[in-house]
Amino acid sequence: MSTIAESFAALFGHAPDGHFAAPGRVNLIGEHTDYNDGYVLPFAIDRVARIAVKIHHSAEARTLRVASTMGGDVIEADLGTLAAEDVTPWARYVAGVFWAFGQKGFTLPGADILLDSTVPIGAGLSSSAAIECAVALALNEMLRLGLSREELVLLCQNAENNFVGAPTGTLDQSASLLSTADHALFLDCRTRESRQVNLPLEAENLQILVIDTRVSHAHDSGGYKELVEACTLGARELGVPALRDVSPERLPEAKQLLHPDIYRRVRHIVTENQRVLDTIERLDANGPAAIGDLLLASHASMRDDFGISCEELDLAVDAAMAAGALGARMTGGGFGGSAIALVESSQAQAVSERVLKDFAEAGYTTPEIFSVVPGPGAQRL
Ligand code: GLA
């Protein structure tokens, strides 16, 4: 019996009947483009949320009971009257998925769920989407609800937007549900078409290091929402449905039309979409060693134009580059969280040491540095 099954039995008094895992993600490039109908290129990492589940098949109790191996009480919620404010914040990622199935017309039975996760929390690696996706896949499979993974992406986004209250796009849930090992996921967030792009890091003697600055972020607070609003305003003033529809050639005109603060945001989205397309082209033609300058340009754009970096993220990128990284950028929503560095395997140690040294000299909290490999999407264990 695995540890999670033992803990489950101890907590709930019976064995689970399903185990599921869903990964966190790193976004290789394509930041804040998702809610602008643009392009993203994330990959699932080998850090996952795991859940053990038992569905209550008796009609009597439509009660959801949720617990975490990370501690705390068992959270109970009545599925008939589910409301976010009645559920403790971390458990909203579980309860929100039940709520979102309800919004689609499914009357779900109660369940017991025990959560365990190796995705660091608040590090910008989508620990929350990993939970949502594990729960959504578990309910879909165990109750044979028949939704496609693509439908589960949108269902989880609904939970995140309208139950948890964070106005995010679909980057994180798509990465968690649609990724395959050794590939990045190229997704067009408007058409929902996606393609698996070969990302042979190990074969090319490359690594992607995550540098978790441990400056924590939260997307249900103000900053993220303001960015979404700035982008919506930019698109409206340019007369297009979304910033996806603004080509790089239109930027000089946009500069004339828009307030400078809005223009900078627009320029980030427009140039970032182009960088995603360029990255795909380089990956296909020359492999991952060829994309370093695009990662770096993406970071500069987030720092200077979009305004979502912070001193620790900039230092992580600068230190990694100074120690010989091929490219580096902050990843995820910003305002803290993690940077990634693309490094030759032989340089990984030197890059880590340089980042640790520069952080210590600056008096910042010691970052967590670890390498990630492109892993599989959510699955039944
Ligand atoms: C967060 C959101 C995503 C996406 C990224 C930025 O991770 O959840 O939808 O917008 O920020 O690319």
Side-chain angles (χ1 to χ4, degrees):
M1 213 197 278
S2 73
T3 320
I4 189 167
E6 275 169 10
S7 310
F8 186 100
L11 272 171
F12 296 118
H14 43 231
D17 33 45
H19 293 265
F20 291 79
R25 62 101 190 91
V26 144
N27 195 14
L28 196 56
I29 197 161
E31 221 66 82
H32 287 265
T33 44
D34 59 349
Y35 55 81
N36 288 295
D37 273 5
Y39 307 116
V40 292
L41 189 62
F43 63 87
I45 57 174
D46 48 337
R47 300 273 184 137
V48 298
R50 278 203 306 156
I51 57 167
V53 188
K54 175 154 185 75
I55 306 279
H56 298 306
H57 287 291
S58 65
E60 97 275 358
R62 289 193 65 225
T63 302
L64 168 64
R65 295 194 292 176
V66 193
S68 161
T69 56
M70 290 160 269
D73 298 332
V74 176
I75 313 292
E76 285 205 17
D78 179 345
L79 291 180
T81 60
L82 209 49
E85 49 286 6
D86 299 337
V87 185
T88 207
W90 71 262
R92 289 178 195 163
Y93 300 111
V94 177
V97 172
F98 281 77
W99 174 88
F101 272 110
Q103 296 290 301
K104 270 188 103 65
F106 294 103
T107 304
L108 300 188
D112 295 336
I113 295 184
L114 178 62
L115 166 71
D116 185 37
S117 182
T118 55
V119 190
I121 294 165
L125 302 175
S126 291
S127 57
S128 51
I131 300 171
E132 292 161 358
C133 294
V135 174
L137 188 69
L139 294 175
N140 194 47
E141 293 209 355
M142 292 174 81
L143 294 166
R144 298 197 171 81
L145 302 178
L147 298 188
S148 65
R149 284 191 178 232
E150 187 52 51
E151 288 172 303
L152 294 179
V153 167
L154 300 177
L155 183 141
C156 290
Q157 184 199 22
N158 188 22
E160 179 95 32
N161 291 173
N162 299 313
F163 192 83
V164 176
T168 59
T170 52
L171 167 71
D172 309 339
Q173 294 81 5
S174 302
S176 190
L177 282 160
L178 307 177
S179 290
T180 59
D182 299 321
H183 292 84
L185 175 79
F186 173 38
L187 174 70
D188 179 332
C189 297
R190 171 172 280 165
T191 64
R192 307 295 312 158
E193 278 169 57
S194 65
R195 170 160 89 81
Q196 304 291 335
V197 180
N198 205 12
L199 193 62
L201 295 174
E202 205 188 333
E204 308 260 331
N205 292 316
L206 295 170
Q207 285 185 27
I208 288 185
L209 297 179
V210 169
I211 304 161
D212 172 7
T213 63
R214 300 174 65 200
V215 178
S216 79
H217 74 294
H219 296 320
D220 47 359
S221 57
Y224 189 93
K225 188 159 166 269
E226 273 170 32
L227 294 167
V228 176
E229 285 166 0
C231 291
T232 310
L233 180 66
R236 195 186 318 132
E237 294 193 345
L238 292 170
V240 290
L243 291 182
R244 149 70 174 275
D245 301 300
V246 181
S247 66
E249 291 72 37
R250 252 198 105 186
L251 281 174
E253 180 203 342
K255 190 173 185 184
Q256 301 299 316
L257 284 171
L258 301 174
H259 184 281
D261 290 343
I262 303 294
Y263 173 66
R264 282 190 294 112
R265 266 67 189 262
V266 168
R267 183 165 63 180
H268 166 71
I269 300 299
V270 172
T271 58
E272 185 79 347
N273 273 325
Q274 187 58 47
R275 279 186 290 271
V276 176
L277 299 177
D278 293 347
T279 302
I280 306 281
E281 222 177 275
R282 299 247 197 113
L283 283 173
D284 286 344
N286 305 310
I291 66 169
D293 60 322
L294 291 166
L295 302 185
L296 205 56
S298 170
H299 184 77
S301 178
M302 288 186 286
R303 182 191 60 210
D304 304 335
D305 276 357
F306 216 54
I308 56 168
S309 190
C310 63
E311 285 176 9
E312 291 85 346
L313 286 168
D314 293 342
L315 183 62
V317 167
D318 292 345
M321 293 307 293
L326 301 174
R329 63 187 286 279
M330 53 148 285
T331 189
F335 310 109
S338 298
I340 53 170
L342 175 67
V343 300
E344 282 165 7
S345 296
S346 58
Q347 294 294 103
Q349 181 79 13
V351 168
S352 301
E353 282 168 8
R354 175 66 186 257
V355 172
L356 289 170
K357 176 172 154 286
D358 287 6
F359 267 63
E361 274 174 23
Y364 296 150
T365 305
T366 309
E368 282 297 325
I369 306 177
F370 51 91
S371 110
V372 284
V373 296
Q379 58 185 316
R380 188 174 198 143
L381 299 174

